[in-house]
Amino acid sequence: VSFSSLKIDKNSAKRILKFAIPGTIQGSVAHIMNVFLTSSVNIFPAEVIEAKVVAGNMDTMLSTVIETYSHVSITFTGQNRGAEKYDRIKRSLICSILQAVTVAFVLGRFLLWLREPIITLFIDTAKYDSDAIVHYASIIMNIMINGYIISGITQSLAGFIKGMGYSVPTMVISLMDMGVLRAIWIFGLFPMIQTLEFLYLIYPVSWGMSALCYIAVAVVICK
């Protein structure tokens, strides 16, 4: 290897940054808004805060699985786009959506069915009221887990759009729905309706808005 010969290929770097920068911004916005949501939870009793942590552990199990469909959709769409097999792209998108929704529903039912014994594994009964934590964690889980059915559609569509080479639209939609909408919800609406249920409804609402926007973009791309 001759280090003096190593250099950046401008065309490759440009293509990489075309996808990397919007993806980075998109992910950053979601995590920043999660920080603000966590700070909003702090106004509730200690049992609610503990319930958020417990529910978050179970939420991660499902979110990791659903987010995988975005990565798979990107890969499969990109490969078939390069091979100009557009019929396979459409079929794979439909299959991805159906699988993501089915997995979200089935795995979600399983987690909700076992929520009480799983929740109690994470509770320090000597420090907190276990019944209260189970109650609050169940509220969060019901909203989040049912919302992942919508998220399954969103993730599949986002992967399809990126795989077709359109990374900027997904970034813009994410900024509007995951950023602006959640900011309005947390800082504008939540102070007027300070309930745990209302606070966490921002997830399925923003996912639903994203899904509608992604569907519109996907329809335009498929024409």
Side-chain angles (χ1 to χ4, degrees):
V1 176
S2 175
F3 289 98
S4 61
S5 299
L6 295 177
K7 61 180 180 179
I8 296 175
D9 183 85
K10 293 182 180 180
N11 290 330
S12 297
K14 184 178 180 181
R15 293 180 63 189
I16 291 171
L17 292 174
K18 178 183 176 182
F19 289 93
I21 293 177
T24 300
I25 295 174
Q26 185 176 343
S28 299
V29 168
H31 288 297
I32 290 171
M33 296 315 301
N34 285 338
V35 170
F36 288 128
L37 185 139
T38 298
S39 66
S40 299
V41 174
N42 291 335
I43 70 170
F44 295 106
E47 284 76 13
V48 176
I49 299 172
E50 185 68 15
K52 176 191 178 301
V53 175
V54 173
N57 291 331
M58 300 182 67
D59 171 69
T60 301
M61 300 179 192
L62 186 54
S63 64
T64 302
V65 175
I66 300 304
E67 288 172 4
T68 301
Y69 281 93
S70 176
H71 305 307
V72 172
S73 186
I74 292 174
T75 303
F76 199 90
T77 301
Q79 289 176 340
N80 283 282
R81 176 172 173 261
E84 298 184 354
K85 296 181 179 180
Y86 295 104
D87 289 340
R88 293 188 64 187
I89 293 176
K90 293 179 181 179
R91 290 201 303 271
S92 70
L93 175 59
I94 294 172
C95 289
S96 178
I97 292 174
L98 291 176
Q99 286 186 34
V101 170
T102 302
V103 169
F105 179 80
V106 174
L107 186 55
R109 295 312 98 187
F110 178 74
L111 290 174
L112 288 174
W113 179 49
L114 294 175
R115 66 182 181 276
E116 188 167 342
I118 295 177
I119 290 172
T120 53
L121 292 175
F122 300 96
I123 298 176
D124 184 354
T125 55
K127 187 177 180 181
Y128 298 103
D129 181 350
S130 59
D131 291 336
I133 294 177
V134 170
H135 171 70
Y136 292 125
S138 296
I139 291 175
I140 296 172
M141 287 175 59
N142 269 299
I143 295 173
M144 294 295 292
I145 288 177
N146 287 316
Y148 274 112
I149 295 174
I150 303 173
S151 180
I153 300 173
T154 302
Q155 294 290 343
S156 297
L157 287 168
F160 162 75
I161 294 170
K162 290 178 182 178
M164 290 296 291
Y166 300 93
S167 57
V168 175
T170 60
M171 180 191 70
V172 173
I173 292 171
S174 179
L175 288 174
M176 294 301 297
D177 297 334
M178 306 297 178
V180 176
L181 177 59
R182 290 187 181 185
I184 293 173
W185 192 281
I186 293 171
F187 298 113
L189 300 178
F190 176 65
M192 297 185 290
I193 310 175
Q194 292 187 340
T195 66
L196 188 63
E197 293 89 342
F198 183 80
L199 179 61
Y200 272 87
L201 276 175
I202 185 55
Y203 284 103
V205 169
S206 60
W207 288 334
M209 290 299 295
S210 294
L212 292 175
C213 293
Y214 286 144
I215 289 172
V217 174
V219 169
V220 172
I221 291 175
C222 290
K223 283 185 178 180

